[in-house]
Amino acid sequence: MNTGKARRRVLRPGEVEELFSRLATLDPKPTTELAYDTPFELLVAVILSAQATDVGVNKATRRLFPVANTPEALLALGEEGLKRYISSIGLYNAKAANVVAMCRRLVDLHGGAVPRTRESLEALPGVGRKTANVVLNTAFGEPTIAVDTHIFRVANRTGLAPGKDVRAVENRLMKVVPERFVQDAHHWLILHGRYTCKARKPDCPHCAIRDLCLYRHKTPGDP
């Protein structure tokens, strides 16, 4: 009979507060690594970033945006014209089709402006909940948390917000993240997952929240 205590899987409220306090101290003003100047440029960049790196997307948009950075200009460029700029990005055929269709919808229904509501954003071609959350948060300052693969991993691995799917993790994060940290939580967590809490070999020895994290298989070394 196993009389040992069950392993704790979820961080306590005080630990969550401390976790975000440390991340905020390290990076007081986090933001996306996608390059953009307008809400429309951000929307396009986020659509292009699916299953692609921010570095790769920025390389493509540095060429694209000086030529076409409005819905009208991208419609004039057309799907085949757009492909020439984004062919280095994975799934570029489907993404080109989605971006052009999205631009058509913006022009026809929103006067070419990026809508500021989740419902309208998610009705656009190529825009799901994660993309809508990024645009609402980063372009319009809404307190949303977009859960990608990095955040899903960090939330489950650390015990911050365990969940079986991205929506479950998002819902839990919105409940447990202290209100004063919600606006920037997405950026802190994605950067932490990208550079420290990496998928194959997390850099636990240099992790600022190592002592709070409940992950059983921490990589060895002095913090």
Tab-separated table of all heavy atoms in Angstrom, residues 35-77:
chain	number	residue	atom	x	y	z
A	35	ALA	N	7.375	41.668	-35.966
A	35	ALA	CA	7.554	43.076	-36.334
A	35	ALA	C	6.276	43.604	-36.986
A	35	ALA	O	5.766	43.008	-37.939
A	35	ALA	CB	8.736	43.216	-37.289
A	36	TYR	N	5.778	44.719	-36.474
A	36	TYR	CA	4.562	45.307	-37.042
A	36	TYR	C	4.471	46.772	-36.620
A	36	TYR	O	5.076	47.193	-35.624
A	36	TYR	CB	3.317	44.566	-36.548
A	36	TYR	CG	2.946	44.895	-35.117
A	36	TYR	CD1	1.947	45.828	-34.837
A	36	TYR	CD2	3.600	44.303	-34.043
A	36	TYR	CE1	1.616	46.147	-33.533
A	36	TYR	CE2	3.283	44.619	-32.740
A	36	TYR	CZ	2.288	45.538	-32.482
A	36	TYR	OH	1.971	45.859	-31.191
A	37	ASP	N	3.710	47.550	-37.379
A	37	ASP	CA	3.473	48.951	-37.040
A	37	ASP	C	1.998	49.275	-36.852
A	37	ASP	O	1.661	50.272	-36.227
A	37	ASP	CB	4.047	49.880	-38.125
A	37	ASP	CG	5.568	49.906	-38.127
A	37	ASP	OD1	6.151	49.912	-37.022
A	37	ASP	OD2	6.165	49.909	-39.216
A	38	THR	N	1.125	48.464	-37.411
A	38	THR	CA	-0.316	48.725	-37.337
A	38	THR	C	-1.049	47.450	-36.932
A	38	THR	O	-0.504	46.345	-37.073
A	38	THR	CB	-0.860	49.183	-38.704
A	38	THR	OG1	-0.752	48.085	-39.630
A	38	THR	CG2	-0.097	50.394	-39.233
A	39	PRO	N	-2.287	47.568	-36.448
A	39	PRO	CA	-3.065	46.362	-36.138
A	39	PRO	C	-3.202	45.431	-37.328
A	39	PRO	O	-3.162	44.203	-37.168
A	39	PRO	CB	-4.426	46.927	-35.704
A	39	PRO	CG	-4.105	48.264	-35.120
A	39	PRO	CD	-3.000	48.797	-35.988
A	40	PHE	N	-3.340	45.981	-38.537
A	40	PHE	CA	-3.456	45.125	-39.712
A	40	PHE	C	-2.165	44.359	-39.958
A	40	PHE	O	-2.192	43.158	-40.260
A	40	PHE	CB	-3.816	45.945	-40.952
A	40	PHE	CG	-3.872	45.118	-42.200
A	40	PHE	CD1	-4.927	44.246	-42.432
A	40	PHE	CD2	-2.840	45.175	-43.145
A	40	PHE	CE1	-4.974	43.450	-43.578
A	40	PHE	CE2	-2.881	44.390	-44.285
A	40	PHE	CZ	-3.945	43.528	-44.504
A	41	GLU	N	-1.020	45.017	-39.854
A	41	GLU	CA	0.250	44.312	-40.033
A	41	GLU	C	0.399	43.201	-38.996
A	41	GLU	O	0.878	42.105	-39.311
A	41	GLU	CB	1.416	45.286	-39.925
A	41	GLU	CG	1.551	46.229	-41.109
A	41	GLU	CD	2.795	47.091	-41.038
A	41	GLU	OE1	3.530	47.018	-40.018
A	41	GLU	OE2	3.047	47.840	-41.988
A	42	LEU	N	-0.003	43.469	-37.755
A	42	LEU	CA	0.076	42.434	-36.726
A	42	LEU	C	-0.831	41.266	-37.072
A	42	LEU	O	-0.431	40.098	-36.950
A	42	LEU	CB	-0.321	43.008	-35.360
A	42	LEU	CG	-0.345	41.995	-34.207
A	42	LEU	CD1	1.041	41.426	-33.948
A	42	LEU	CD2	-0.915	42.624	-32.942
A	43	LEU	N	-2.044	41.549	-37.514
A	43	LEU	CA	-2.977	40.488	-37.880
A	43	LEU	C	-2.393	39.599	-38.978
A	43	LEU	O	-2.430	38.367	-38.880
A	43	LEU	CB	-4.294	41.105	-38.341
A	43	LEU	CG	-5.377	40.146	-38.870
A	43	LEU	CD1	-5.736	39.103	-37.822
A	43	LEU	CD2	-6.600	40.936	-39.309
A	44	VAL	N	-1.839	40.197	-40.005
A	44	VAL	CA	-1.228	39.429	-41.088
A	44	VAL	C	-0.053	38.598	-40.558
A	44	VAL	O	0.078	37.408	-40.861
A	44	VAL	CB	-0.755	40.354	-42.222
A	44	VAL	CG1	0.068	39.572	-43.254
A	44	VAL	CG2	-1.951	41.013	-42.903
A	45	ALA	N	0.788	39.220	-39.752
A	45	ALA	CA	1.963	38.527	-39.228
A	45	ALA	C	1.569	37.326	-38.369
A	45	ALA	O	2.195	36.264	-38.443
A	45	ALA	CB	2.835	39.490	-38.430
A	46	VAL	N	0.533	37.489	-37.558
A	46	VAL	CA	0.116	36.377	-36.700
A	46	VAL	C	-0.455	35.237	-37.538
A	46	VAL	O	-0.186	34.063	-37.269
A	46	VAL	CB	-0.908	36.852	-35.651
A	46	VAL	CG1	-1.379	35.664	-34.807
A	46	VAL	CG2	-0.289	37.900	-34.737
A	47	ILE	N	-1.221	35.550	-38.569
A	47	ILE	CA	-1.731	34.509	-39.459
A	47	ILE	C	-0.567	33.757	-40.109
A	47	ILE	O	-0.563	32.531	-40.200
A	47	ILE	CB	-2.652	35.117	-40.538
A	47	ILE	CG1	-3.936	35.645	-39.903
A	47	ILE	CG2	-2.984	34.079	-41.611
A	47	ILE	CD1	-4.827	36.403	-40.862
A	48	LEU	N	0.441	34.492	-40.538
A	48	LEU	CA	1.600	33.867	-41.190
A	48	LEU	C	2.446	33.042	-40.212
A	48	LEU	O	3.173	32.145	-40.618
A	48	LEU	CB	2.473	34.939	-41.840
A	48	LEU	CG	1.857	35.740	-42.986
A	48	LEU	CD1	2.853	36.780	-43.490
A	48	LEU	CD2	1.425	34.820	-44.126
A	49	SER	N	2.345	33.357	-38.919
A	49	SER	CA	3.233	32.722	-37.940
A	49	SER	C	2.817	31.313	-37.544
A	49	SER	O	3.572	30.624	-36.858
A	49	SER	CB	3.327	33.593	-36.677
A	49	SER	OG	2.109	33.560	-35.942
A	50	ALA	N	1.648	30.860	-37.956
A	50	ALA	CA	1.218	29.503	-37.608
A	50	ALA	C	2.222	28.483	-38.148
A	50	ALA	O	2.530	28.471	-39.339
A	50	ALA	CB	-0.170	29.231	-38.185
A	51	GLN	N	2.748	27.641	-37.269
A	51	GLN	CA	3.740	26.623	-37.616
A	51	GLN	C	4.948	27.228	-38.335
A	51	GLN	O	5.521	26.632	-39.247
A	51	GLN	CB	3.096	25.525	-38.472
A	51	GLN	CG	1.981	24.789	-37.759
A	51	GLN	CD	1.413	23.650	-38.565
A	51	GLN	OE1	2.150	22.849	-39.127
A	51	GLN	NE2	0.095	23.566	-38.646
A	52	ALA	N	5.311	28.433	-37.919
A	52	ALA	CA	6.497	29.117	-38.454
A	52	ALA	C	7.131	29.908	-37.327
A	52	ALA	O	6.488	30.183	-36.314
A	52	ALA	CB	6.112	30.037	-39.614
A	53	THR	N	8.378	30.269	-37.490
A	53	THR	CA	9.057	31.049	-36.470
A	53	THR	C	8.820	32.540	-36.687
A	53	THR	O	8.597	32.993	-37.818
A	53	THR	CB	10.573	30.791	-36.487
A	53	THR	OG1	11.126	31.286	-37.725
A	53	THR	CG2	10.876	29.302	-36.355
A	54	ASP	N	8.872	33.306	-35.602
A	54	ASP	CA	8.741	34.756	-35.724
A	54	ASP	C	9.860	35.325	-36.583
A	54	ASP	O	9.652	36.275	-37.353
A	54	ASP	CB	8.764	35.412	-34.338
A	54	ASP	CG	7.481	35.147	-33.555
A	54	ASP	OD1	6.579	34.481	-34.097
A	54	ASP	OD2	7.389	35.610	-32.408
A	55	VAL	N	11.053	34.752	-36.473
A	55	VAL	CA	12.187	35.213	-37.271
A	55	VAL	C	11.886	35.051	-38.754
A	55	VAL	O	12.129	35.955	-39.569
A	55	VAL	CB	13.475	34.449	-36.892
A	55	VAL	CG1	14.603	34.786	-37.869
A	55	VAL	CG2	13.907	34.795	-35.468
A	56	GLY	N	11.351	33.889	-39.120
A	56	GLY	CA	11.024	33.640	-40.514
A	56	GLY	C	9.921	34.547	-41.022
A	56	GLY	O	9.969	35.032	-42.158
A	57	VAL	N	8.910	34.790	-40.183
A	57	VAL	CA	7.822	35.686	-40.572
A	57	VAL	C	8.339	37.105	-40.742
A	57	VAL	O	8.006	37.792	-41.719
A	57	VAL	CB	6.690	35.642	-39.529
A	57	VAL	CG1	5.636	36.724	-39.829
A	57	VAL	CG2	6.035	34.270	-39.516
A	58	ASN	N	9.165	37.570	-39.818
A	58	ASN	CA	9.699	38.930	-39.915
A	58	ASN	C	10.542	39.107	-41.175
A	58	ASN	O	10.525	40.176	-41.794
A	58	ASN	CB	10.542	39.254	-38.679
A	58	ASN	CG	9.698	39.424	-37.430
A	58	ASN	OD1	8.492	39.661	-37.502
A	58	ASN	ND2	10.327	39.316	-36.272
A	59	LYS	N	11.272	38.081	-41.543
A	59	LYS	CA	12.085	38.150	-42.764
A	59	LYS	C	11.192	38.355	-43.982
A	59	LYS	O	11.509	39.151	-44.887
A	59	LYS	CB	12.906	36.872	-42.917
A	59	LYS	CG	13.823	36.871	-44.125
A	59	LYS	CD	14.652	35.592	-44.180
A	59	LYS	CE	15.563	35.570	-45.397
A	59	LYS	NZ	16.386	34.324	-45.453
A	60	ALA	N	10.039	37.666	-44.014
A	60	ALA	CA	9.113	37.800	-45.141
A	60	ALA	C	8.391	39.144	-45.117
A	60	ALA	O	8.257	39.812	-46.153
A	60	ALA	CB	8.100	36.659	-45.118
A	61	THR	N	7.923	39.558	-43.938
A	61	THR	CA	7.141	40.802	-43.878
A	61	THR	C	8.012	42.046	-44.066
A	61	THR	O	7.504	43.092	-44.450
A	61	THR	CB	6.359	40.907	-42.561
A	61	THR	OG1	7.254	40.813	-41.443
A	61	THR	CG2	5.308	39.804	-42.471
A	62	ARG	N	9.309	41.921	-43.804
A	62	ARG	CA	10.203	43.063	-44.090
A	62	ARG	C	10.218	43.378	-45.579
A	62	ARG	O	10.445	44.523	-45.985
A	62	ARG	CB	11.632	42.758	-43.607
A	62	ARG	CG	11.880	43.114	-42.154
A	62	ARG	CD	13.360	43.197	-41.839
A	62	ARG	NE	14.052	41.941	-42.080
A	62	ARG	CZ	14.225	40.996	-41.160
A	62	ARG	NH1	13.730	41.165	-39.946
A	62	ARG	NH2	14.881	39.894	-41.450
A	63	ARG	N	9.974	42.390	-46.395
A	63	ARG	CA	9.885	42.593	-47.842
A	63	ARG	C	8.458	42.927	-48.273
A	63	ARG	O	8.240	43.719	-49.183
A	63	ARG	CB	10.368	41.338	-48.574
A	63	ARG	CG	11.828	40.979	-48.317
A	63	ARG	CD	12.191	39.625	-48.927
A	63	ARG	NE	11.878	39.565	-50.345
A	63	ARG	CZ	11.045	38.688	-50.892
A	63	ARG	NH1	10.408	37.801	-50.126
A	63	ARG	NH2	10.816	38.692	-52.190
A	64	LEU	N	7.492	42.300	-47.604
A	64	LEU	CA	6.095	42.456	-47.999
A	64	LEU	C	5.493	43.801	-47.611
A	64	LEU	O	4.864	44.474	-48.452
A	64	LEU	CB	5.260	41.330	-47.380
A	64	LEU	CG	3.739	41.448	-47.534
A	64	LEU	CD1	3.334	41.378	-49.004
A	64	LEU	CD2	3.031	40.385	-46.700
A	65	PHE	N	5.649	44.208	-46.366
A	65	PHE	CA	4.920	45.377	-45.875
A	65	PHE	C	5.279	46.692	-46.570
A	65	PHE	O	4.402	47.550	-46.751
A	65	PHE	CB	5.080	45.513	-44.360
A	65	PHE	CG	4.309	44.474	-43.573
A	65	PHE	CD1	4.682	44.136	-42.280
A	65	PHE	CD2	3.203	43.840	-44.128
A	65	PHE	CE1	3.968	43.198	-41.550
A	65	PHE	CE2	2.484	42.882	-43.403
A	65	PHE	CZ	2.867	42.565	-42.111
A	66	PRO	N	6.529	46.910	-46.997
A	66	PRO	CA	6.797	48.139	-47.751
A	66	PRO	C	6.050	48.195	-49.085
A	66	PRO	O	5.822	49.277	-49.635
A	66	PRO	CB	8.312	48.097	-47.978
A	66	PRO	CG	8.835	47.271	-46.839
A	66	PRO	CD	7.792	46.214	-46.650
A	67	VAL	N	5.637	47.034	-49.585
A	67	VAL	CA	4.923	46.954	-50.858
A	67	VAL	C	3.415	46.952	-50.645
A	67	VAL	O	2.662	47.602	-51.380
A	67	VAL	CB	5.347	45.687	-51.628
A	67	VAL	CG1	4.518	45.516	-52.900
A	67	VAL	CG2	6.829	45.733	-51.955
A	68	ALA	N	2.964	46.212	-49.633
A	68	ALA	CA	1.531	46.079	-49.376
A	68	ALA	C	1.295	45.849	-47.890
A	68	ALA	O	1.599	44.766	-47.378
A	68	ALA	CB	0.951	44.914	-50.187
A	69	ASN	N	0.780	46.857	-47.204
A	69	ASN	CA	0.510	46.719	-45.771
A	69	ASN	C	-0.884	47.207	-45.393
A	69	ASN	O	-1.131	47.581	-44.248
A	69	ASN	CB	1.567	47.443	-44.940
A	69	ASN	CG	1.460	48.947	-45.049
A	69	ASN	OD1	0.900	49.473	-46.019
A	69	ASN	ND2	1.993	49.659	-44.067
A	70	THR	N	-1.796	47.194	-46.371
A	70	THR	CA	-3.202	47.483	-46.114
A	70	THR	C	-4.036	46.413	-46.812
A	70	THR	O	-3.549	45.755	-47.748
A	70	THR	CB	-3.612	48.862	-46.660
A	70	THR	OG1	-3.523	48.838	-48.101
A	70	THR	CG2	-2.731	49.971	-46.093
A	71	PRO	N	-5.281	46.225	-46.398
A	71	PRO	CA	-6.120	45.233	-47.086
A	71	PRO	C	-6.250	45.523	-48.577
A	71	PRO	O	-6.188	44.606	-49.409
A	71	PRO	CB	-7.469	45.356	-46.365
A	71	PRO	CG	-7.138	45.898	-45.018
A	71	PRO	CD	-5.975	46.806	-45.232
A	72	GLU	N	-6.413	46.794	-48.907
A	72	GLU	CA	-6.575	47.157	-50.305
A	72	GLU	C	-5.325	46.836	-51.120
A	72	GLU	O	-5.413	46.314	-52.248
A	72	GLU	CB	-6.924	48.638	-50.420
A	72	GLU	CG	-8.251	49.035	-49.794
A	72	GLU	CD	-8.187	49.246	-48.282
A	72	GLU	OE1	-7.090	49.073	-47.690
A	72	GLU	OE2	-9.237	49.572	-47.694
A	73	ALA	N	-4.163	47.121	-50.558
A	73	ALA	CA	-2.907	46.873	-51.275
A	73	ALA	C	-2.654	45.382	-51.439
A	73	ALA	O	-2.165	44.929	-52.481
A	73	ALA	CB	-1.746	47.533	-50.535
A	74	LEU	N	-3.003	44.602	-50.425
A	74	LEU	CA	-2.808	43.151	-50.537
A	74	LEU	C	-3.796	42.541	-51.524
A	74	LEU	O	-3.453	41.596	-52.241
A	74	LEU	CB	-2.945	42.499	-49.164
A	74	LEU	CG	-1.642	42.423	-48.357
A	74	LEU	CD1	-1.898	42.002	-46.928
A	74	LEU	CD2	-0.678	41.443	-49.011
A	75	LEU	N	-4.998	43.076	-51.582
A	75	LEU	CA	-5.945	42.598	-52.589
A	75	LEU	C	-5.439	42.902	-53.994
A	75	LEU	O	-5.578	42.090	-54.909
A	75	LEU	CB	-7.315	43.248	-52.372
A	75	LEU	CG	-8.137	42.692	-51.198
A	75	LEU	CD1	-9.392	43.536	-50.985
A	75	LEU	CD2	-8.512	41.235	-51.450
A	76	ALA	N	-4.841	44.073	-54.156
A	76	ALA	CA	-4.279	44.426	-55.460
A	76	ALA	C	-3.099	43.527	-55.811
A	76	ALA	O	-2.899	43.158	-56.977
A	76	ALA	CB	-3.846	45.895	-55.457
A	77	LEU	N	-2.329	43.147	-54.798
A	77	LEU	CA	-1.190	42.252	-55.027
A	77	LEU	C	-1.674	40.872	-55.455
A	77	LEU	O	-1.074	40.233	-56.331
A	77	LEU	CB	-0.360	42.154	-53.747
A	77	LEU	CG	0.988	41.435	-53.815
A	77	LEU	CD1	1.937	42.157	-54.758
A	77	LEU	CD2	1.595	41.347	-52.410
